[in-house]
Amino acid sequence: MTTDIRLATEADAAQMLAIYAPSVRESPISFEVRLPSEAEFRARVTATLASLPWLVCEAGGAVAGYAYAALHSPRQAYQWSADCSVYVHAGHRGRGVGRALYTSLFAGLRALGYYNVYAGITLPNAPSVALHEALGFVPVGVYRSAGYKMGAWHDVGWWELALREHGPVESAPLPLGDAAGTPEWQKALAEGSRLLSPGA
């Protein structure tokens, strides 16, 4: 079974939405309380890909998981910082899919010129914390009782990862379209793909 990491397309929306749905309907992992429609989800993918990576792990022609980046804040001084999210199909968890997706996502963000990436995790979520810390994230704080869902208040922990050494910045990050297809971008995708075993 061929397993690979590539940029998402609108055609992946239905499968990705199915992976995302339990996090909305059955848990506080996502603070959304209403599952977006397929059209809404497709529009999110399209909007993200206008400037930032949205990746899928494809296994045997089906989406095994996805990861994407979002701007940490629209204010200009934050433009070198991104947030990240990853979701893996229940049947593919524990096989390194999340790690592989993040490896390619972060390599891609470096290629675009980003310096920092942040992850917010609804607590408790030991598997997600373990994944992020295994990739070098360090905790920076907790938003106490930040969201109310499913009849309870939930804390959100925040983790950060420096993608490169900080120093003087000469230019803004590149939009995705300026990097996709370049050798550096292909190398970023390959970094995660190499971590995947056949059938992951």
Coordinates of all heavy atoms in Angstrom, one line a residue, residues 84-164:
C84 N -0.4 25.4 14.6 CA -0.5 24.1 13.9 C -1.6 23.2 14.5 O -1.9 23.3 15.6 CB 0.8 23.4 13.8 SG 1.4 22.9 15.5
S85 N -2.1 22.3 13.6 CA -3.1 21.3 14.1 C -2.9 20.0 13.3 O -2.5 20.1 12.1 CB -4.5 21.8 13.8 OG -4.8 22.9 14.6
V86 N -3.2 18.9 13.9 CA -3.1 17.6 13.2 C -4.2 16.7 13.7 O -4.6 16.7 14.8 CB -1.7 17.0 13.4 CG1 -1.5 16.6 14.9 CG2 -1.5 15.7 12.6
Y87 N -4.8 16.0 12.7 CA -5.8 15.0 13.0 C -5.6 13.7 12.2 O -5.2 13.8 11.0 CB -7.2 15.6 12.6 CG -7.7 16.8 13.4 CD1 -7.3 18.1 13.1 CD2 -8.4 16.6 14.6 CE1 -7.7 19.1 13.9 CE2 -8.8 17.6 15.4 CZ -8.5 18.9 15.0 OH -8.8 20.0 15.8
V88 N -5.7 12.6 12.9 CA -5.4 11.3 12.3 C -6.6 10.4 12.4 O -7.3 10.4 13.4 CB -4.2 10.7 13.0 CG1 -3.9 9.3 12.4 CG2 -2.9 11.6 12.9
H89 N -6.9 9.7 11.3 CA -8.0 8.8 11.3 C -7.8 7.7 12.4 O -6.7 7.2 12.6 CB -8.0 8.1 9.9 CG -9.2 7.2 9.7 ND1 -9.3 6.0 10.3 CD2 -10.3 7.4 8.9 CE1 -10.5 5.4 9.9 NE2 -11.1 6.3 9.0
A90 N -8.9 7.3 13.1 CA -8.8 6.4 14.2 C -8.1 5.1 13.8 O -7.4 4.5 14.6 CB -10.2 6.1 14.7
G91 N -8.3 4.7 12.6 CA -7.7 3.4 12.2 C -6.2 3.5 11.8 O -5.6 2.5 11.6
H92 N -5.6 4.7 11.9 CA -4.2 4.9 11.6 C -3.4 5.4 12.7 O -2.2 5.7 12.6 CB -4.1 5.8 10.4 CG -4.6 5.2 9.1 ND1 -3.8 4.4 8.3 CD2 -5.8 5.2 8.5 CE1 -4.5 4.0 7.2 NE2 -5.7 4.5 7.4
R93 N -4.0 5.6 13.9 CA -3.3 6.2 15.0 C -2.3 5.2 15.6 O -2.5 4.0 15.5 CB -4.3 6.6 16.1 CG -5.1 7.8 15.7 CD -6.2 8.1 16.7 NE -7.1 9.1 16.2 CZ -8.4 9.3 16.6 NH1 -8.8 8.6 17.6 NH2 -9.1 10.2 16.1
G94 N -1.2 5.7 16.2 CA -0.2 4.9 16.7 C 0.8 4.3 15.7 O 1.6 3.5 16.0
R95 N 0.7 4.8 14.4 CA 1.5 4.3 13.3 C 2.5 5.4 12.8 O 3.1 5.2 11.8 CB 0.7 3.8 12.2 CG -0.3 2.7 12.6 CD -1.1 2.2 11.4 NE -2.1 1.2 11.8 CZ -3.0 0.6 11.0 NH1 -3.0 1.0 9.7 NH2 -3.8 -0.3 11.5
G96 N 2.6 6.5 13.5 CA 3.5 7.6 13.1 C 3.0 8.5 12.1 O 3.8 9.4 11.6
V97 N 1.7 8.5 11.8 CA 1.1 9.4 10.8 C 1.2 10.9 11.3 O 1.6 11.7 10.5 CB -0.3 9.0 10.5 CG1 -1.0 10.1 9.6 CG2 -0.4 7.7 9.8
G98 N 0.8 11.1 12.5 CA 0.9 12.5 13.1 C 2.3 13.0 13.0 O 2.5 14.2 12.6
R99 N 3.2 12.2 13.5 CA 4.6 12.7 13.5 C 5.1 13.0 12.1 O 5.8 14.0 11.8 CB 5.5 11.6 14.1 CG 7.0 12.0 14.3 CD 7.8 10.8 14.8 NE 9.2 11.3 15.1 CZ 9.6 11.7 16.3 NH1 8.8 11.7 17.3 NH2 10.8 12.1 16.5
A100 N 4.8 12.1 11.1 CA 5.2 12.3 9.7 C 4.6 13.6 9.1 O 5.3 14.4 8.5 CB 4.8 11.1 8.9
L101 N 3.3 13.8 9.4 CA 2.7 15.0 8.9 C 3.3 16.3 9.5 O 3.6 17.2 8.7 CB 1.2 15.0 9.2 CG 0.3 14.1 8.3 CD1 -1.1 13.8 9.0 CD2 0.1 14.8 7.0
Y102 N 3.5 16.3 10.8 CA 4.1 17.4 11.4 C 5.6 17.6 10.9 O 6.0 18.8 10.7 CB 4.1 17.3 12.9 CG 3.0 18.0 13.6 CD1 2.8 17.8 15.0 CD2 2.1 18.8 12.9 CE1 1.7 18.4 15.6 CE2 1.1 19.5 13.6 CZ 0.9 19.3 15.0 OH -0.1 19.9 15.6
T103 N 6.3 16.6 10.7 CA 7.7 16.7 10.2 C 7.7 17.4 8.9 O 8.5 18.4 8.6 CB 8.3 15.3 10.1 OG1 8.4 14.7 11.4 CG2 9.7 15.4 9.5
S104 N 6.8 17.0 8.0 CA 6.7 17.7 6.7 C 6.2 19.1 6.8 O 6.6 20.1 6.1 CB 5.8 16.9 5.7 OG 6.5 15.8 5.2
L105 N 5.2 19.3 7.7 CA 4.6 20.7 7.8 C 5.6 21.6 8.4 O 5.7 22.8 7.8 CB 3.4 20.6 8.8 CG 2.7 21.9 9.1 CD1 1.9 22.3 7.8 CD2 1.7 21.8 10.3
F106 N 6.4 21.2 9.3 CA 7.4 22.2 9.9 C 8.5 22.4 9.0 O 9.0 23.5 8.9 CB 7.9 21.6 11.3 CG 6.8 21.4 12.3 CD1 6.9 20.5 13.3 CD2 5.6 22.1 12.2 CE1 5.9 20.2 14.2 CE2 4.6 21.9 13.1 CZ 4.7 21.0 14.1
A107 N 8.9 21.4 8.2 CA 10.0 21.6 7.2 C 9.4 22.6 6.1 O 10.2 23.4 5.6 CB 10.4 20.3 6.6
G108 N 8.2 22.5 5.8 CA 7.6 23.4 4.8 C 7.5 24.8 5.3 O 7.8 25.7 4.6
L109 N 7.2 24.9 6.6 CA 7.1 26.3 7.2 C 8.5 26.9 7.2 O 8.7 28.1 7.0 CB 6.5 26.2 8.6 CG 5.0 26.0 8.7 CD1 4.6 25.8 10.1 CD2 4.2 27.1 8.1
R110 N 9.5 26.1 7.5 CA 10.9 26.6 7.4 C 11.2 27.1 6.0 O 11.8 28.2 5.8 CB 11.9 25.6 7.9 CG 11.9 25.3 9.3 CD 13.1 24.3 9.7 NE 12.9 23.8 11.0 CZ 12.3 22.6 11.3 NH1 11.9 21.8 10.3 NH2 12.1 22.2 12.5
A111 N 10.8 26.3 5.0 CA 11.1 26.7 3.7 C 10.4 28.0 3.3 O 10.9 28.8 2.4 CB 10.6 25.6 2.7
L112 N 9.3 28.3 3.9 CA 8.6 29.5 3.6 C 9.1 30.7 4.4 O 8.8 31.9 4.1 CB 7.1 29.3 4.0 CG 6.3 28.3 3.1 CD1 4.9 28.2 3.7 CD2 6.3 28.7 1.7
G113 N 9.9 30.4 5.4 CA 10.5 31.5 6.2 C 10.0 31.8 7.5 O 10.2 32.8 8.1
Y114 N 9.2 30.8 8.1 CA 8.6 31.0 9.4 C 9.7 30.7 10.5 O 10.6 29.9 10.3 CB 7.4 30.1 9.6 CG 6.2 30.7 8.9 CD1 6.0 30.5 7.5 CD2 5.3 31.5 9.5 CE1 4.9 31.0 6.8 CE2 4.2 32.1 8.8 CZ 4.0 31.8 7.5 OH 3.0 32.4 6.8
Y115 N 9.5 31.3 11.7 CA 10.4 31.1 12.8 C 9.8 30.4 14.0 O 10.5 29.7 14.7 CB 10.9 32.5 13.3 CG 12.0 33.1 12.4 CD1 11.7 33.6 11.2 CD2 13.3 33.2 12.9 CE1 12.7 34.2 10.4 CE2 14.3 33.7 12.1 CZ 14.0 34.2 10.9 OH 15.0 34.8 10.1
N116 N 8.5 30.5 14.2 CA 7.9 29.9 15.3 C 6.6 29.1 15.0 O 5.9 29.6 14.1 CB 7.5 31.0 16.4 CG 8.6 31.9 16.6 OD1 9.7 31.5 17.2 ND2 8.4 33.2 16.3
V117 N 6.3 28.1 15.7 CA 5.0 27.4 15.5 C 4.5 27.1 16.9 O 5.2 26.7 17.8 CB 5.1 26.2 14.7 CG1 6.0 25.1 15.3 CG2 3.8 25.6 14.3
Y118 N 3.2 27.3 17.1 CA 2.5 27.1 18.4 C 1.4 26.1 18.2 O 0.7 26.0 17.2 CB 1.9 28.4 18.9 CG 3.0 29.5 19.0 CD1 3.2 30.4 18.0 CD2 3.8 29.6 20.2 CE1 4.2 31.4 18.1 CE2 4.8 30.5 20.3 CZ 4.9 31.5 19.3 OH 5.9 32.4 19.4
A119 N 1.1 25.4 19.3 CA 0.0 24.4 19.4 C -0.8 24.6 20.6 O -0.2 24.6 21.7 CB 0.6 23.0 19.3
G120 N -2.1 24.7 20.5 CA -3.0 24.7 21.6 C -3.7 23.4 21.8 O -4.2 22.9 20.8
I121 N -3.7 22.8 23.0 CA -4.2 21.5 23.2 C -5.2 21.5 24.4 O -4.9 22.0 25.5 CB -3.1 20.5 23.6 CG1 -2.0 20.5 22.5 CG2 -3.6 19.1 23.8 CD1 -0.8 19.7 22.8
T122 N -6.4 21.1 24.1 CA -7.4 21.0 25.2 C -7.0 19.9 26.1 O -6.6 18.8 25.7 CB -8.8 20.6 24.6 OG1 -9.2 21.6 23.6 CG2 -9.9 20.6 25.7
L123 N -7.0 20.2 27.4 CA -6.4 19.3 28.4 C -7.6 18.7 29.2 O -8.6 19.2 29.4 CB -5.6 20.1 29.4 CG -4.4 20.8 28.8 CD1 -3.7 21.7 29.8 CD2 -3.4 19.9 28.1
P124 N -7.3 17.4 29.6 CA -6.1 16.6 29.3 C -6.2 15.9 28.0 O -7.2 15.6 27.5 CB -6.2 15.5 30.5 CG -7.7 15.3 30.7 CD -8.3 16.7 30.5
N125 N -5.0 15.7 27.4 CA -4.9 15.0 26.1 C -3.5 14.5 26.0 O -2.6 15.0 25.3 CB -5.2 15.9 24.9 CG -5.3 15.2 23.6 OD1 -4.7 14.1 23.5 ND2 -6.0 15.7 22.7
A126 N -3.2 13.4 26.8 CA -1.8 12.9 26.9 C -1.2 12.5 25.5 O 0.0 12.8 25.3 CB -1.8 11.7 27.8
P127 N -2.0 11.8 24.6 CA -1.3 11.5 23.3 C -0.9 12.7 22.5 O 0.2 12.7 21.9 CB -2.5 10.7 22.6 CG -3.3 10.2 23.7 CD -3.3 11.2 24.7
S128 N -1.7 13.8 22.5 CA -1.3 14.9 21.8 C -0.1 15.6 22.4 O 0.8 16.1 21.7 CB -2.5 15.9 21.7 OG -2.2 17.0 20.9
V129 N -0.1 15.7 23.8 CA 1.0 16.3 24.5 C 2.3 15.5 24.1 O 3.4 16.1 23.9 CB 0.8 16.4 26.0 CG1 2.0 16.8 26.7 CG2 -0.4 17.4 26.3
A130 N 2.2 14.2 24.2 CA 3.4 13.4 23.9 C 3.9 13.6 22.5 O 5.1 13.6 22.3 CB 3.0 11.9 24.2
L131 N 3.0 13.7 21.5 CA 3.4 13.9 20.1 C 4.2 15.2 20.0 O 5.3 15.3 19.4 CB 2.2 13.9 19.2 CG 2.5 14.3 17.8 CD1 3.4 13.4 17.1 CD2 1.1 14.4 17.0
H132 N 3.6 16.3 20.5 CA 4.2 17.6 20.4 C 5.6 17.6 21.1 O 6.5 18.2 20.5 CB 3.3 18.7 20.9 CG 2.1 18.9 20.0 ND1 1.0 18.2 20.0 CD2 1.9 19.8 19.0 CE1 0.1 18.6 19.1 NE2 0.7 19.6 18.4
E133 N 5.6 17.1 22.3 CA 6.9 17.2 23.0 C 7.9 16.3 22.4 O 9.1 16.6 22.5 CB 6.6 16.9 24.5 CG 5.8 17.9 25.2 CD 5.7 17.8 26.7 OE1 6.1 16.7 27.2 OE2 5.2 18.8 27.4
A134 N 7.5 15.2 21.8 CA 8.5 14.3 21.1 C 9.1 15.0 19.9 O 10.2 14.7 19.5 CB 7.8 13.0 20.6
L135 N 8.4 16.0 19.4 CA 8.9 16.8 18.2 C 9.6 18.1 18.6 O 10.0 18.9 17.8 CB 7.7 17.1 17.3 CG 7.2 15.9 16.5 CD1 5.9 16.2 15.9 CD2 8.2 15.4 15.5
G136 N 9.8 18.3 20.0 CA 10.6 19.4 20.4 C 9.8 20.5 21.0 O 10.4 21.5 21.4
F137 N 8.5 20.5 21.0 CA 7.7 21.5 21.6 C 7.9 21.6 23.1 O 8.1 20.6 23.8 CB 6.2 21.3 21.4 CG 5.7 21.7 20.0 CD1 5.9 20.8 18.9 CD2 5.0 22.9 19.8 CE1 5.4 21.2 17.7 CE2 4.5 23.2 18.6 CZ 4.7 22.4 17.5
V138 N 7.9 22.8 23.6 CA 8.0 23.0 25.1 C 6.8 23.8 25.6 O 6.2 24.6 24.9 CB 9.3 23.8 25.5 CG1 10.5 23.0 25.1 CG2 9.3 25.1 24.8
P139 N 6.3 23.5 26.8 CA 5.1 24.1 27.3 C 5.4 25.6 27.7 O 6.4 25.9 28.2 CB 4.7 23.3 28.5 CG 5.9 22.6 28.9 CD 6.7 22.4 27.7
V140 N 4.4 26.4 27.4 CA 4.6 27.8 27.7 C 3.5 28.4 28.6 O 3.6 29.5 29.2 CB 4.7 28.7 26.5 CG1 5.9 28.5 25.7 CG2 3.4 28.5 25.6
G141 N 2.4 27.6 28.9 CA 1.4 28.1 29.8 C 0.0 27.5 29.5 O -0.1 26.7 28.6
V142 N -0.9 27.8 30.4 CA -2.2 27.2 30.3 C -3.3 28.3 30.4 O -3.2 29.1 31.3 CB -2.5 26.1 31.4 CG1 -3.9 25.6 31.4 CG2 -1.5 25.0 31.3
Y143 N -4.2 28.3 29.5 CA -5.4 29.1 29.6 C -6.4 28.4 30.5 O -7.0 27.4 30.0 CB -6.0 29.4 28.2 CG -5.2 30.3 27.3 CD1 -5.7 30.5 26.0 CD2 -4.0 30.9 27.7 CE1 -4.9 31.3 25.2 CE2 -3.3 31.7 26.9 CZ -3.8 31.9 25.6 OH -3.0 32.7 24.7
R144 N -6.7 28.8 31.7 CA -7.6 28.1 32.6 C -9.0 28.3 32.2 O -9.4 29.5 32.0 CB -7.3 28.5 34.0 CG -5.9 28.4 34.5 CD -5.5 26.9 34.6 NE -4.1 26.7 35.1 CZ -3.5 25.6 35.2 NH1 -4.1 24.5 34.8 NH2 -2.3 25.5 35.6
S145 N -9.8 27.2 32.1 CA -11.2 27.3 31.8 C -11.5 28.2 30.7 O -12.4 29.1 30.7 CB -12.0 27.8 33.1 OG -11.8 26.9 34.2
A146 N -10.8 28.0 29.6 CA -10.9 28.9 28.4 C -12.1 28.6 27.6 O -12.5 29.5 26.8 CB -9.6 28.7 27.6
G147 N -12.6 27.4 27.6 CA -13.8 27.1 26.8 C -14.8 26.2 27.5 O -14.4 25.4 28.3
Y148 N -16.1 26.4 27.2 CA -17.1 25.6 27.8 C -17.8 24.8 26.7 O -18.3 25.3 25.7 CB -18.2 26.6 28.4 CG -19.2 25.9 29.2 CD1 -19.0 25.5 30.5 CD2 -20.5 25.6 28.6 CE1 -20.0 24.8 31.3 CE2 -21.5 24.9 29.4 CZ -21.2 24.5 30.7 OH -22.2 23.9 31.4
K149 N -17.7 23.5 26.9 CA -18.3 22.6 25.9 C -18.7 21.3 26.6 O -18.0 20.8 27.5 CB -17.3 22.3 24.8 CG -17.9 21.4 23.6 CD -16.8 21.2 22.5 CE -17.4 20.2 21.5 NZ -16.4 20.0 20.4
M150 N -19.8 20.7 26.1 CA -20.3 19.4 26.7 C -20.5 19.5 28.2 O -20.2 18.5 28.9 CB -19.3 18.3 26.3 CG -19.1 18.2 24.8 SD -18.0 16.9 24.2 CE -19.2 15.5 24.2
G151 N -21.0 20.6 28.6 CA -21.4 20.8 30.0 C -20.2 21.0 31.0 O -20.4 20.9 32.2
A152 N -19.0 21.4 30.5 CA -17.9 21.6 31.4 C -17.0 22.6 30.8 O -16.9 22.9 29.6 CB -17.1 20.3 31.6
W153 N -16.2 23.2 31.8 CA -15.1 24.2 31.4 C -13.8 23.4 31.1 O -13.6 22.4 31.8 CB -14.9 25.2 32.5 CG -16.0 26.2 32.6 CD1 -17.0 26.2 33.5 CD2 -16.1 27.3 31.8 NE1 -17.8 27.3 33.3 CE2 -17.3 28.0 32.2 CE3 -15.5 27.9 30.7 CZ2 -17.8 29.2 31.7 CZ3 -15.9 29.1 30.1 CH2 -17.1 29.7 30.6
H154 N -13.1 23.8 30.1 CA -11.9 23.1 29.7 C -10.7 24.0 29.6 O -10.8 25.2 29.1 CB -12.1 22.4 28.4 CG -13.2 21.5 28.3 ND1 -13.1 20.2 28.9 CD2 -14.5 21.6 27.9 CE1 -14.3 19.6 28.7 NE2 -15.2 20.5 28.1
D155 N -9.5 23.6 30.2 CA -8.3 24.3 30.0 C -7.7 24.0 28.7 O -7.9 23.0 28.1 CB -7.3 23.8 31.1 CG -7.7 24.1 32.5 OD1 -8.6 24.9 32.7 OD2 -7.1 23.5 33.4
V156 N -6.9 25.0 28.2 CA -6.1 24.8 27.0 C -4.6 25.1 27.3 O -4.3 26.2 27.7 CB -6.6 25.8 25.9 CG1 -5.7 25.6 24.6 CG2 -8.0 25.5 25.5
G157 N -3.8 24.1 27.1 CA -2.3 24.3 27.2 C -1.7 24.7 25.9 O -2.2 24.4 24.8
W158 N -0.7 25.5 26.0 CA 0.0 26.0 24.8 C 1.5 25.6 24.8 O 2.1 25.6 25.9 CB -0.1 27.6 24.7 CG -1.4 28.0 24.3 CD1 -2.5 28.3 25.0 CD2 -1.8 28.1 22.9 NE1 -3.6 28.6 24.2 CE2 -3.2 28.5 22.9 CE3 -1.2 27.9 21.7 CZ2 -3.9 28.7 21.7 CZ3 -1.9 28.2 20.5 CH2 -3.2 28.5 20.5
W159 N 1.9 25.1 23.7 CA 3.3 24.7 23.5 C 3.9 25.4 22.3 O 3.2 25.9 21.4 CB 3.3 23.2 23.1 CG 3.2 22.3 24.3 CD1 4.3 21.5 24.8 CD2 2.1 21.9 25.1 NE1 3.8 20.8 25.9 CE2 2.5 21.0 26.1 CE3 0.7 22.3 25.1 CZ2 1.6 20.5 27.1 CZ3 -0.1 21.8 26.0 CH2 0.3 20.9 27.0
E160 N 5.2 25.6 22.3 CA 5.9 26.3 21.2 C 7.1 25.6 20.7 O 7.7 24.8 21.5 CB 6.3 27.7 21.7 CG 7.4 27.7 22.7 CD 7.9 29.1 23.2 OE1 7.3 30.1 22.6 OE2 8.8 29.2 24.0
L161 N 7.4 25.8 19.5 CA 8.6 25.2 18.8 C 9.3 26.3 18.0 O 8.6 26.9 17.1 CB 8.2 24.0 17.9 CG 9.3 23.4 17.1 CD1 10.3 22.6 18.0 CD2 8.7 22.4 16.1
A162 N 10.6 26.5 18.2 CA 11.3 27.4 17.4 C 11.8 26.6 16.1 O 12.4 25.6 16.2 CB 12.6 27.9 18.1
L163 N 11.4 27.1 15.0 CA 11.8 26.4 13.7 C 13.2 26.8 13.2 O 13.7 26.0 12.4 CB 10.7 26.9 12.6 CG 9.3 26.4 12.9 CD1 8.4 27.1 11.9 CD2 9.2 24.9 12.8
R164 N 13.7 27.8 13.7 CA 15.1 28.3 13.3 C 15.6 29.2 14.3 O 14.9 29.7 15.2 CB 15.0 29.0 11.9 CG 14.2 30.2 11.9 CD 14.2 30.9 10.6 NE 13.4 30.2 9.6 CZ 13.9 29.8 8.4 NH1 15.1 30.1 8.1 NH2 13.1 29.2 7.6

